[in-house]
Amino acid sequence: MTPEIQKPISGTTPEDAAAIILLRADTDKANPEVFWVQRSERMAFLGGFHAFAGGQRDVSDAETQVENCEDAERAAMIACAARELFEELRVLVARGAETLTKGQRASLLDDLESARMTFPELLKHYGLHLDAKDFTFVGRWVTPPFSPRRFDTLFFIVNCPAKQEPIVTGDAELSSGEWIEAREAVARWRRSEVLIVPPMLHALETLAGGLTDDLVERFLSVPQAHGEPVRRIEFRPGFICFPVRTPTKPPATHTNCYIVGSNEIVIMDPASPYKEEQDALASCIDDLLKEGRKVREIILTHLHPDHVAGVGALNEYFGGSLRVAAHRLTAEALDGTVHVDRFIEDEELINLKGEPHIQLRALHTPGHARGHLCFYEAQTGALITGDNIVGLGSVLIDPPEGNMRDYLASLERLRALPHLTVLFGAHGPAIGSARAKIEEYINHRLEREANILKAVREGAGEVKEIVARVYTDVHPKALPMAERAVLAHLEKLEADNLIAKRDDGCYVANDDNPSTS
Ligand SMILES: [Zn+2]
């Protein structure tokens, strides 16, 4: 069967990929064991997430012969799955491979990895072939358009050959891998111990129901398994990410609205000004209400239009019954456009009833905006970072609303939180390598600050001049934004007493011994 695929609404074009749901040989049919891997924390995309083996289509995949497969596209994706499975986990699922010794398989892998042979050449050379019967298609999922990288992924169930054992070498991409009972994997997700993407959760929950006769039907029972875009993303239980399309800063095209709580819920940043997106969010909330949840209030992380533009529409949809909460400074700035009913103070605890009970601690973290709030859940180490840290694009500090000194102090405060496992930013996917990401942000700003200080010490006194020296690879269109960012750094350096602004508007270093290094 070839499922219909819907065209993505916007964002980058998805790349073809295959994922392999590898089942242990002779596994218990009632509670099968599946092989999952953990992506390296160093990976920019979904670092630290648990996943199945898999990867992108290679040009050679279309040349691989696949028996019992009429459809050339499907055959190429089966070839992709088989190749990725061999490359990532060293498991070779090919007819004829059962007679190969472990040493022979290693030598084949070496041929492939050293590019002496492509995968189809290798199969041919050793008299092996792929058979579509060994790869059960169980869904086609498309990464939502909010992501910097997008995949159009075909999922296949594959039984691990009895004499082979998957191995993760701990390379740059994967840090570990293990067999796990499907039910235990789901339980670990429910206990907030792992991060997984929606197709993975769906696969594990389906497998947890056992290897029944209708297994494939159950896999294909949701529209998202036929390429329909995923809207409601639950990276962690009780933290639903619902990206909505907004006129935000490129490369981002969406803002993440977070719906937090297991029974009592808060809706953070209903962001979209577009009717169809507002309707989609309202219908998601409606579904949650039907599941028995209750809305406590709408919460705004900060004042920017790409975060608050959907407040009015959502409230109207619910007959004006929703209360809006934000920091006092956000409320004052939005006065006349968005009505705020209640102020959220720094360190306020928001207790959301339900199982699991979720307690959010509000953190006033100015810098990107004066009234910016982040929300910390100490139990599971989840941090909602708003626009202070994002999974896609960069954070603009634009004075006077933006303040670089405050921003760095806010980042330091976030870094000092005792238990951090995931960052939920306002744009892009969740970030599994939480503390490393905060450190990367701090280091990036300090490095830029050092470069700007050096430029001033070397005699660059005007903002444009400094931009030209510090931002050497910036697109002309981005220059005005670079100028705002440099201005923010200059204000901080001035406040730190390292430079001074002369009456003519030019900046000079306060240092008596200017460095020329
Ligand atoms: Zn913002």
Side-chain angles (χ1 to χ4, degrees):
M1 73 213 86
T2 307
E4 293 280 318
I5 177 149
Q6 299 198 347
K7 283 266 171 287
I9 314 160
S10 62
T12 50
T13 311
E15 302 160 84
D16 285 343
I20 306 99
I21 303 169
L22 187 68
L23 297 182
R24 193 166 208 167
D26 302 317
T27 190
D28 178 5
K29 281 196 159 45
N31 184 20
E33 279 181 80
V34 63
F35 197 83
W36 73 358
V37 296
Q38 186 169 20
R39 293 169 60 82
S40 164
E41 293 231 331
R42 293 190 299 271
M43 296 287 281
F45 178 64
L46 303 182
F49 275 60
H50 277 73
F52 294 126
Q56 267 174 269
R57 180 173 169 165
D58 186 273
V59 279
S60 76
D61 292 331
E63 297 155 20
T64 307
Q65 294 285 327
V66 181
E67 299 288 315
N68 294 309
C69 188
E70 301 290 302
D71 180 344
E73 279 303 295
R74 176 61 57 86
M77 294 319 295
I78 287 175
C80 172
R83 182 183 47 72
E84 286 289 339
L85 182 60
F86 192 37
E87 286 174 348
E88 281 198 336
L89 302 184
R90 304 176 171 231
V91 171
L92 183 58
V93 176
R95 300 288 172 110
E98 54 281 356
T99 60
L100 297 176
T101 63
K102 200 174 170 187
Q104 284 169 319
R105 284 199 308 272
S107 135
L108 259 69
L109 187 63
D110 188 51
D111 284 341
L112 185 62
E113 285 180 338
S114 61
R116 271 193 293 277
M117 279 186 237
T118 64
F119 191 57
E121 284 166 357
L122 184 121
L123 294 173
K124 210 169 175 187
H125 186 82
Y126 290 93
L128 311 172
H129 72 268
L130 303 182
D131 193 313
K133 288 177 185 158
D134 299 333
F135 299 81
T136 308
F137 171 77
V138 287
R140 179 175 200 164
W141 291 68
V142 178
T143 316
F146 79 132
S147 176
R149 294 199 67 190
R150 300 183 62 210
F151 299 99
D152 178 350
T153 308
L154 266 59
F155 284 74
F156 297 98
I157 290 182
V158 173
N159 291 307
C160 188
K163 287 184 197 156
Q164 296 190 48
E165 190 57 29
I167 299 163
V168 171
T169 49
D171 61 5
E173 282 187 32
L174 305 179
S175 57
S176 63
E178 61 179 346
W179 290 112
I180 185 160
E181 290 174 357
R183 275 184 218 155
E184 172 56 18
V186 174
R188 285 182 64 182
W189 175 80
R190 286 197 209 288
R191 293 196 298 265
S192 298
E193 292 169 6
V194 294
L195 285 164
I196 50 184
V197 294
M200 176 96 181
L201 179 60
H202 174 69
L204 293 171
E205 283 178 334
T206 306
L207 289 173
L211 303 182
T212 55
D213 291 342
D214 64 348
L215 180 70
V216 175
E217 278 167 71
R218 287 195 287 122
F219 261 97
L220 297 173
S221 65
V222 294
Q224 296 90 323
H226 300 272
E228 193 168 294
V230 177
R231 298 271 353 207
R232 179 173 152 179
I233 308 164
E234 208 161 354
F235 289 120
R236 277 274 171 85
F239 288 81
I240 294 172
C241 173
F242 194 92
V244 287
R245 197 165 55 83
T246 53
T248 186
K249 187 161 73 80
T253 54
H254 289 63
T255 301
N256 296 332
C257 169
Y258 286 100
I259 303 158
V260 184
S262 18
N263 183 271
E264 192 183 20
I265 57 175
V266 289
I267 305 161
M268 287 189 192
D269 292 352
S272 184
Y274 308 126
K275 174 88 169 65
E276 69 275 17
E277 293 294 291
Q278 293 172 345
D279 289 349
L281 177 63
S283 121
C284 169
I285 307 285
D286 246 353
D287 289 344
L288 292 169
L289 296 181
K290 279 180 207 139
E291 288 168 20
R293 305 198 209 199
K294 285 182 200 70
V295 179
R296 175 189 163 122
E297 62 193 1
I298 294 172
I299 291 178
L300 306 178
T301 60
H302 66 295
L303 78 170
H304 287 146
D306 63 328
H307 289 256
V308 307
V311 173
L314 189 65
N315 215 346
E316 204 172 297
Y317 183 90
F318 288 99
S321 62
L322 302 180
R323 282 164 24 106
V324 180
H327 191 271
R328 184 179 49 80
L329 294 171
T330 301
E332 284 171 9
L334 289 174
D335 190 29
T337 49
V338 177
H339 177 74
V340 173
D341 301 273
R342 170 179 104 73
F343 299 151
I344 296 177
E345 305 290 338
D346 184 39
E347 293 289 346
E348 178 181 321
L349 296 176
I350 298 169
N351 284 293
L352 300 171
K353 289 183 216 120
E355 194 50 55
H357 169 88
I358 291 175
Q359 184 185 68
L360 296 175
R361 191 169 120 205
L363 304 171
H364 179 217
T365 41
H368 172 71
R370 288 187 179 108
H372 195 289
L373 292 170
C374 290
F375 295 89
Y376 176 53
E377 212 281 315
Q379 195 83 29
T380 60
L383 178 65
I384 292 173
T385 54
D387 263 358
N388 272 358
I389 300 166
V390 293
L392 172 60
S394 55
V395 174
L396 179 64
I397 308 302
D398 187 2
E401 184 65 39
N403 181 299
M404 191 60 73
R405 224 173 179 219
D406 289 349
Y407 182 59
L408 273 161
S410 290
L411 289 179
E412 287 291 356
R413 187 178 176 197
L414 299 180
R415 170 158 75 171
L417 291 170
H419 177 49
L420 276 175
T421 57
V422 61
L423 305 179
F424 293 118
H427 307 281
I431 301 158
S433 47
R435 209 175 296 278
K437 182 54 110 182
I438 301 175
E439 268 155 25
E440 181 192 312
Y441 264 55
I442 293 171
N443 292 339
H444 169 72
R445 296 293 177 175
L446 291 180
E447 206 174 292
R448 182 143 288 162
E449 178 180 297
N451 289 337
I452 290 169
L453 181 59
K454 183 165 173 272
V456 176
R457 282 178 174 159
E458 286 171 1
E462 284 176 45
V463 173
K464 277 191 198 318
E465 228 180 320
I466 298 165
V467 169
R469 286 199 193 200
V470 177
Y471 290 77
T472 47
D473 55 353
V474 70
H475 191 275
K477 265 189 173 170
L479 278 174
M481 234 146 38
E483 284 171 17
R484 303 306 298 168
V486 164
L487 183 63
H489 277 291
L490 291 169
E491 284 185 3
K492 177 178 180 293
L493 288 167
E494 203 184 347
D496 290 346
N497 228 4
L498 289 165
I499 63 169
K501 195 177 181 179
R502 286 196 320 229
D503 291 342
D504 63 358
C506 276
Y507 291 89
V508 286
N510 281 343
D511 200 334
D512 290 327
N513 304 302
S515 156
T516 50
S517 62

